[in-house]
Amino acid sequence: MENLIALLVAAPLLGAAVLLCGGRRLDAVGHWIGTALAACSFVIGLVLFADLLGKEAENRTLMQHLFSWIPVAGFQADVTFRLDQLSMTFVLLITGVGSLIHLYSVGYMEHDERRRRFFGYLNLFLAAMLVLVLADNYLLLYVGWEGVGLASYLLIGFWQHKPSAATAAKKAFLVNRVGDMGLSIAIMLMFTTFGTFAFQPVLSHVGDTSEGKLTAIGLMLLLAACGKSAQVPLQSWLGDAMEGPTPVSALIHAATMVTAGVYLIVRSGAIFNAAPDAQTAVVVVGAVTLLFGAVVGCAKDDIKKALAGSTMSQIGYMVLAAGLGPIGYVFAIMHLVTHGFFKAGLFLGAGSVMHGMNDEVDMRRYGGLRKYMPVTFVTFGLGYLAIIGFPFLSGFYSKDAIIEAAFAKGGTEGWILGGVALLGAAITAFYMTRVMLMTFFGEERWRHAPTPSPAEPSVEPAAETRGEYTEPHPHESPNVMTIPMIVLAVGSVAGGFFFHLGDRFLNWLEPVTGHSEGDSPVSALTVTGATLVCLVVGAGLAYAMYGRRPVPAVAPRGSLLTRAARRDLLQDDFNHVVLVRGGEHLTRSLVYVDHTLVDGVVNGTAASVGGLSGRLRRLQNGFARSYAVSMFGGAAVLVAATLLMRAV
């Protein structure tokens, strides 16, 4: 079975090569080739999963060595794949959800003349993500990490004729390069510390290394995770990335790419367990981001950007759980998987709404769509109930487990983290209920909707609202789009219960991640009750504000917090002031030093030599009388010196 591991990567990689190099002769069938090869990878994953299930828990690790990449003295880099319970979980998520998104894209991108290229990029993304999670060493993981960055750049900027899409792609690429520097530094530190970067020797020898070195490595890994998973302070690219086609949002920003950082932290759990300061930093980043993303999601009128804020917040929950160590590793991955179902379903549902609404993304121009799009309404609604933690749906099991783990941290820290997680649950219920009400309920605001006035600079215009308003004729999407939505809705409903039943998911991952119960000061029943209270309060407040009142065509100015949330809590303003202007001042200072000090020394030395040579040159003027006078003067000086010495 080990020989099948490479085929997981080979299938989508072959699809990318064929579709990107095959030319226009494949335009008519390219989308089906890409979808078939993605599904082929999923089938291979199921075969390998069945094989792992047939083994004892301690023997569920398959290795496939392909070749030695860089074999030199003292430096050995191999292309080796590692398939264990953790990587197998990601393989099924990436290929399963990825295949559904490929199928959905067949209908969504039907009229795009560059559809073949789009599917080539999707296949390239799947191949890179699979390399990332299957790598047996950090250097090969870095190859997949950078491949994902390249593919995301190509997909986010796919509609490059739009300046906003091209800018968003560049922004995502540059912000992620900051995080990638953290990963590269961490790998270098690992090699200088352990003499290798393979998982097994590195993670098994952390006890022989000083805490300071492990803290440095852990912080660099966290920086990498912040970039890829859009966590504070490297979260600014995620909202703008919604400029790409909606299937890109579902694939990259819901089910795979943004979860890569969580995978990196959990895979490197032994390092963080031995570096408490780095682990605390992970917890802080997760707690801050889950509130940050939730607040941003409350103020967005663009349906995709509201879901982007939700993604940021939900990944914050996962990072928080990963920062709790063995108490939360399993639950971080469990929420990651359930999130892959309901968030991908929500994004595809948003795309279905846009498909029937002339690509309109402004929820203030929606309303009453449930009777025109019944399948979209039901599937989107189930994803909504799952993400807010409605009882017995997937989010109820995974998010509640994280909240319980936060309290189980114990002491004051446990109370603070548990309180933050509960507050995040309440805000999640508020903004997701807001999205549901503004989209599917209320009056049909898309009828003769006026064009929004740009007079209010604090009100963010919809990203894809362009030109004159054309009244849409909402309708249900074709089967090729609704079938993936239905499958994801089933996962949103039943996934959490299946994982929770008999602690199946915990027992599956525990041999790789480890697990401890912690010491919670409150019972699980109390946490569940508190979570349900937060759900009711958040949803009830949203209903009072958006369900019982008419939704204005243009967002009111709102409070200072609302205006800040519309601007992503001023994250771009902060980056501009601190990084852009700071970089400009630094550059000007360096230019000044270069011109005044460096060039001053160089130019001053040259001028001194030139001036001295110019003066000395006057002594060589070519006139015999001048030379005679010089000779006479020199002789006179010598005679005078001789007479003086004799006199003395």
Side-chain angles (χ1 to χ4, degrees):
M1 284 295 178
E2 291 85 349
N3 295 330
L4 292 178
I5 300 176
L7 294 180
L8 289 168
V9 179
L13 190 60
L14 174 64
V18 169
L19 295 177
L20 296 178
C21 302
R24 295 191 174 183
R25 65 178 67 90
L26 297 177
D27 283 354
V29 295
H31 49 288
W32 291 118
I33 293 175
T35 303
L37 287 171
C40 179
S41 187
F42 177 60
V43 171
I44 296 171
L46 289 176
V47 172
L48 289 168
F49 177 59
D51 182 63
L52 290 186
L53 287 178
K55 300 178 182 293
E56 296 295 330
E58 61 274 10
N59 297 323
R60 288 174 176 167
T61 299
L62 303 178
M63 307 287 291
Q64 184 178 10
H65 174 77
L66 297 182
F67 57 90
S68 294
W69 178 16
I70 310 176
V72 296
F75 187 93
Q76 182 72 27
D78 295 328
V79 176
T80 302
F81 291 140
R82 177 189 188 90
L83 187 69
D84 56 16
Q85 293 94 318
L86 180 59
S87 54
M88 185 77 255
T89 302
F90 276 82
V91 164
L92 293 178
L93 176 67
I94 294 166
T95 58
V97 175
S99 297
L100 292 173
I101 293 172
H102 274 70
L103 181 61
Y104 176 94
S105 301
V106 171
Y108 191 87
M109 303 294 290
E110 180 180 4
H111 302 293
D112 196 299
E113 60 182 13
R114 299 169 65 237
R115 180 166 62 167
R116 170 183 53 81
R117 185 182 297 271
F118 180 77
F119 277 83
Y121 292 159
L122 288 182
N123 274 195
L124 178 63
F125 180 87
L126 287 191
M129 193 69 197
L130 288 168
V131 170
L132 192 158
V133 300
L134 288 171
D136 185 49
N137 61 74
Y138 285 97
L139 191 60
L140 185 58
L141 181 149
Y142 188 76
V143 173
W145 194 271
E146 291 301 316
V148 169
L150 170 63
S152 65
Y153 168 77
L154 296 172
L155 286 167
I156 293 169
F158 183 75
W159 286 331
Q160 54 193 338
H161 60 277
K162 296 195 307 181
S164 56
T167 301
K170 289 186 288 186
K171 184 176 182 179
F173 189 82
L174 292 174
V175 173
N176 272 273
R177 296 293 72 74
V178 178
D180 295 351
M181 283 297 298
L183 182 55
S184 63
I185 293 172
I187 294 173
M188 287 184 270
L189 289 174
M190 288 177 193
F191 186 77
T192 57
T193 302
F194 302 101
T196 181
F197 31 69
F199 289 154
Q200 188 61 35
V202 168
L203 300 178
S204 61
H205 288 89
V206 294
D208 304 329
T209 309
S210 67
E211 184 177 315
K213 289 183 178 180
L214 294 175
T215 299
I217 294 173
L219 291 176
M220 290 299 100
L221 292 175
L222 174 60
L223 179 62
C226 287
K228 200 66 74 181
S229 295
Q231 300 293 283
V232 171
L234 300 179
Q235 80 286 5
S236 61
W237 64 272
L238 187 65
D240 291 346
M242 299 301 106
E243 289 289 347
T246 300
V248 174
S249 304
L251 179 66
I252 297 180
H253 309 295
T256 51
M257 176 178 168
V258 293
T259 61
V262 181
Y263 169 80
L264 181 65
I265 294 173
V266 174
R267 176 63 80 183
S268 308
I271 295 175
F272 288 97
N273 293 341
D277 291 339
Q279 198 170 57
T280 299
V282 174
V283 170
V284 171
V285 166
V288 171
T289 307
L290 78 86
L291 292 180
F292 190 105
V295 171
V296 168
C298 291
K300 295 295 184 180
D301 292 331
D302 183 322
I303 187 171
K304 289 172 65 177
K305 290 195 174 184
L307 294 178
S310 170
T311 296
M312 191 187 307
S313 178
Q314 297 304 307
I315 302 296
Y317 271 104
M318 301 171 205
V319 172
L320 169 63
L324 297 174
I327 302 175
Y329 287 144
V330 172
F331 304 127
I333 302 301
M334 181 178 175
H335 192 55
L336 184 151
V337 176
T338 59
H339 176 264
F341 284 117
F342 58 67
K343 183 53 63 64
L346 288 169
F347 267 117
L348 296 188
S352 179
V353 171
M354 293 166 55
H355 182 268
M357 293 290 291
N358 294 347
D359 289 329
E360 178 63 67
V361 295
D362 190 348
M363 293 186 294
R364 293 185 181 276
R365 294 182 174 183
Y366 290 168
L369 294 179
R370 67 186 186 279
K371 60 184 178 181
Y372 299 98
M373 305 178 182
V375 177
T376 301
F377 167 64
V378 172
T379 56
F380 192 97
L382 291 173
Y384 151 73
L385 293 175
I387 194 174
I388 68 173
F390 192 82
F392 310 118
L393 273 70
S394 60
F396 171 77
Y397 294 101
S398 58
K399 188 158 51 175
D400 274 25
I402 292 177
I403 298 174
E404 292 173 20
F407 279 108
K409 185 68 174 177
T412 304
E413 183 181 358
W415 283 104
I416 293 174
L417 295 177
V420 167
L422 284 174
L423 178 60
I427 302 176
T428 299
F430 173 82
Y431 69 74
M432 285 306 303
T433 303
R434 174 180 180 268
V435 169
M436 196 71 186
L437 292 173
M438 291 180 69
T439 302
F440 295 103
F441 293 89
E443 60 179 343
E444 299 173 353
R445 298 182 300 278
W446 41 270
R447 294 187 182 277
H448 310 293
T451 300
S453 171
E456 289 287 354
S458 62
V459 177
E460 178 187 12
E464 299 181 23
T465 300
R466 302 289 187 269
E468 296 296 327
Y469 181 76
T470 302
E471 183 175 315
H473 300 282
H475 56 277
E476 189 57 88
S477 298
N479 291 337
V480 73
M481 295 173 63
T482 57
I483 290 174
M485 293 160 54
I486 293 171
V487 175
L488 291 170
V490 172
S492 300
V493 172
F497 176 77
F498 178 80
F499 294 152
H500 178 77
L501 186 64
D503 290 330
R504 290 179 178 176
F505 200 78
L506 190 154
N507 295 333
W508 167 256
L509 278 184
E510 187 175 6
V512 178
T513 63
H515 180 68
S516 64
E517 294 296 333
D519 185 20
S520 179
V522 295
S523 66
L525 185 60
T526 302
V527 172
T528 300
T531 305
L532 292 178
V533 169
C534 291
L535 185 157
V536 172
V537 170
L541 182 60
Y543 177 74
M545 294 178 62
Y546 297 94
R548 302 186 63 181
R549 303 176 186 174
V551 177
V554 178
R557 184 173 177 82
S559 65
L560 180 62
L561 178 60
T562 300
R563 297 198 300 273
R566 289 185 184 127
R567 297 174 61 90
D568 299 328
L569 291 181
L570 309 180
Q571 56 183 324
D572 284 330
D573 302 83
F574 176 82
N575 291 342
H576 185 77
V577 171
V578 175
L579 300 179
V580 177
R581 289 186 180 175
E584 291 174 350
H585 290 310
L586 177 61
T587 302
R588 290 169 185 165
S589 300
L590 293 175
V591 170
Y592 176 78
V593 170
D594 180 58
H595 286 173
T596 57
L597 181 61
V598 179
D599 287 354
V601 171
V602 174
N603 295 336
T605 302
S608 300
V609 173
L612 179 61
S613 64
R615 287 170 175 77
L616 292 175
R617 184 164 55 99
R618 295 175 183 175
L619 300 178
Q620 303 292 327
N621 54 19
F623 295 111
R625 61 180 179 272
S626 298
Y627 298 156
V629 171
S630 299
M631 293 170 65
F632 178 78
V637 171
L638 289 175
V639 170
T642 302
L643 294 175
L644 180 62
M645 291 178 65
R646 286 183 177 181
V648 174

